[in-house]
């Protein structure tokens, strides 16, 4: 089978095409003939040593869609040929992908494989940020960093559907701001001035909920944009700095709180909770509450080009690799 991997850390050029033996499923596992793979910033971070991987060479890719190829011992509810989406521990950039059955989701009617590849990480993350972790209530205001990205566009739509009083975003360029405004945002600010912009937009009150995939100093500055009893949810450190830790004194005076979420950690700690979350998220896609636009797709052989776009922070929406010819 064809696959993409890297045997050293570095830029997009370290990604290389290889021919490898197709994996075979063990107990509790399945293999998937992949049709599409999502390209995520976590893949870029792994390749550039922002995240450590178990060993080299390593094959990136956290989400795929395709058809079940083979089933391991003890797997129930899945059958060969069935269309599925899956959240995987790497290995998604390949024609045949190994997945834990607990992280494989049969596709309901009306959801095609291309669309399904956008969902396993982005939509459950967005749903959890708005509902399960962020607990957004009707009339509350929300600020979303990375508003033009895959999670950002989904969050904007979900926040609007949840009855948010106002949905504000943060994006790094005019093009990204214009893009985000199509997906539920009332106003989009720049990273360097978002605290002052929030205060202006809210009459000095601040927002009730901030969703932050950047970490570091951006997270710390977010406290200045929170209303009394506001919540901040960290779900990444795309800015390259370790997530900043909020001091108790800075939070207690106004009842503010900081929490965190990772769909990959949820998959490891509570697969059943992940399944329930993903089913709720899929319903939001099926009923039209949220759409996840694919803004670029590349053949598997051009994975380095996809990484170049995503790592250069010039992309919007969702990027996909086309696996099947």
């Amino acid at each position: 089978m064809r696959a993409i991997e890297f045997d050293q850390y570095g830029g997009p050029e370290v990604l290389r095409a290889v021919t490898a033996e197709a994996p075979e499923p063990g107990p509790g596992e399945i293999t998937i003939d992949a049709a599409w793979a999502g390209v995520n910033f976590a893949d870029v971070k792994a390749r550039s040593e922002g995240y450590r991987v178990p060993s080299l060479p390593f094959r990136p890719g956290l989400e795929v869609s395709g058809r079940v190829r083979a089933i391991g011992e003890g797997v129930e509810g899945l059958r060969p040929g069935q269309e599925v989406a899956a959240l995987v521990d790497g290995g998604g950039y390949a024609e045949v992908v190994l997945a834990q059955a607990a992280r494989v989701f049969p596709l309901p009617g009306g959801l095609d494989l291309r669309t399904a590849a956008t969902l396993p990480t982005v939509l459950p993350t967005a749903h959890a940020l708005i509902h399960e972790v962020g607990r957004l209530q009707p009339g509350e205001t929300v600020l979303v960093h990375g508003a033009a990205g895959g999670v950002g566009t989904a969050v904007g739509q979900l926040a609007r559907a949840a009855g948010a009083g106002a949905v504000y975003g943060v994006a790094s360029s005019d093009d990204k701001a214009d893009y985000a405004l199509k997906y539920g945002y009332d106003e989009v600010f720049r990273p360097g001035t978002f605290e002052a912009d929030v205060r202006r937009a809210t009459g000095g009150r601040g927002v009730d909920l901030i969703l932050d995939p950047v970490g570091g100093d951006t997270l710390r500055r977010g406290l200045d944009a929170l209303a009394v009893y506001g919540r901040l949810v960290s779900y990444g450190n795309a800015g390259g700095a370790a997530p900043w830790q909020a001091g108790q004194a800075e939070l207690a005076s106004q009842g503010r709180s900081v929490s965190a979420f990772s769909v990959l950690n949820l998959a490891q700690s509570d697969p059943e909770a992940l399944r329930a979350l993903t089913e709720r998220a899929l319903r939001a896609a099926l009923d039209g509450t949220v759409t996840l636009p694919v803004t670029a797709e590349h053949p598997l052989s051009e994975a380095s080009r996809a990484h170049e776009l995503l790592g250069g922070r010039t992309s919007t929406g969702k990027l996909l690799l086309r696996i099947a010819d």
Side-chain angles (χ1 to χ4, degrees), residues 130 136-142 156 158-168 184 186:
I130 290 296
L136 184 70
Q137 301 299 310
E140 289 189 325
T141 52
V142 57
L158 289 173
R160 182 62 63 202
V167 185
Y168 303 115
D186 295 290

Side-chain angles (χ1 to χ4, degrees), residues 34-97:
W36 298 88
V39 180
N40 293 285
F41 195 66
D43 301 335
V44 173
K45 295 281 281 188
R47 187 212 71 228
S48 60
E49 206 174 5
Y51 297 152
R52 296 296 297 180
V53 302
S55 61
L56 295 176
F58 183 76
R59 193 172 299 159
L62 298 175
E63 56 187 351
V64 299
S65 66
R67 293 176 176 83
V68 175
R69 176 186 178 96
I71 295 173
E73 181 182 351
V75 173
E76 298 179 354
L78 295 168
R79 65 182 187 280
Q82 189 173 19
E83 293 189 342
V84 296
L87 181 68
V88 295
D89 292 322
Y93 294 8
E95 291 181 310
V96 181
V97 176

Side-chain angles (χ1 to χ4, degrees), residues 104-119:
V104 177
F105 311 101
L107 300 187
L111 194 62
D112 63 274
L113 287 171
R114 183 175 182 269
T115 301
T118 70
L119 303 179

Side-chain angles (χ1 to χ4, degrees), residues 29-262:
E29 297 176 335
I30 73 163
T31 51
I32 299 169
D33 286 319
W36 298 88
V39 180
N40 293 285
F41 195 66
D43 301 335
V44 173
K45 295 281 281 188
R47 187 212 71 228
S48 60
E49 206 174 5
Y51 297 152
R52 296 296 297 180
V53 302
S55 61
L56 295 176
F58 183 76
R59 193 172 299 159
L62 298 175
E63 56 187 351
V64 299
S65 66
R67 293 176 176 83
V68 175
R69 176 186 178 96
I71 295 173
E73 181 182 351
V75 173
E76 298 179 354
L78 295 168
R79 65 182 187 280
Q82 189 173 19
E83 293 189 342
V84 296
L87 181 68
V88 295
D89 292 322
Y93 294 8
E95 291 181 310
V96 181
V97 176
L98 184 68
Q100 296 181 32
R103 304 184 192 178
V104 177
F105 311 101
L107 300 187
L111 194 62
D112 63 274
L113 287 171
R114 183 175 182 269
T115 301
T118 70
L119 303 179
T121 62
V122 167
L123 196 50
T125 295
H127 199 282
L129 292 174
I130 290 296
H131 295 290
E132 284 79 4
V133 184
R135 305 183 308 282
L136 184 70
Q137 301 299 310
E140 289 189 325
T141 52
V142 57
L143 176 73
V144 183
H145 292 274
V151 173
T153 51
V155 162
Q157 296 170 78
L158 289 173
R160 182 62 63 202
V167 185
Y168 303 115
V170 180
S172 59
S173 70
D174 289 342
D175 287 345
K176 288 189 174 186
D178 290 342
Y179 182 85
L181 289 170
K182 302 174 185 178
Y183 294 98
Y185 290 92
D186 295 290
E187 194 171 354
V188 180
F189 312 133
R190 290 293 180 270
T193 60
F194 75 85
E195 313 102 295
D197 291 330
V198 164
R199 292 294 175 187
R200 171 191 53 77
T202 61
R205 177 181 179 274
V207 293
D208 299 292
L209 175 65
I210 294 177
L211 305 177
D212 181 3
V214 181
D217 188 59
T218 297
L219 194 156
R220 179 194 60 77
R221 291 167 54 207
L223 293 181
D224 293 332
L226 275 179
V228 175
Y229 304 127
R231 293 98 60 202
L232 191 156
V233 182
S234 171
Y235 66 102
N237 63 328
W244 174 80
Q245 300 297 314
Q248 184 64 27
E250 297 176 86
L251 302 175
S253 62
Q254 296 186 350
R256 297 174 296 189
S257 63
V258 175
S259 56
F261 177 77
S262 164

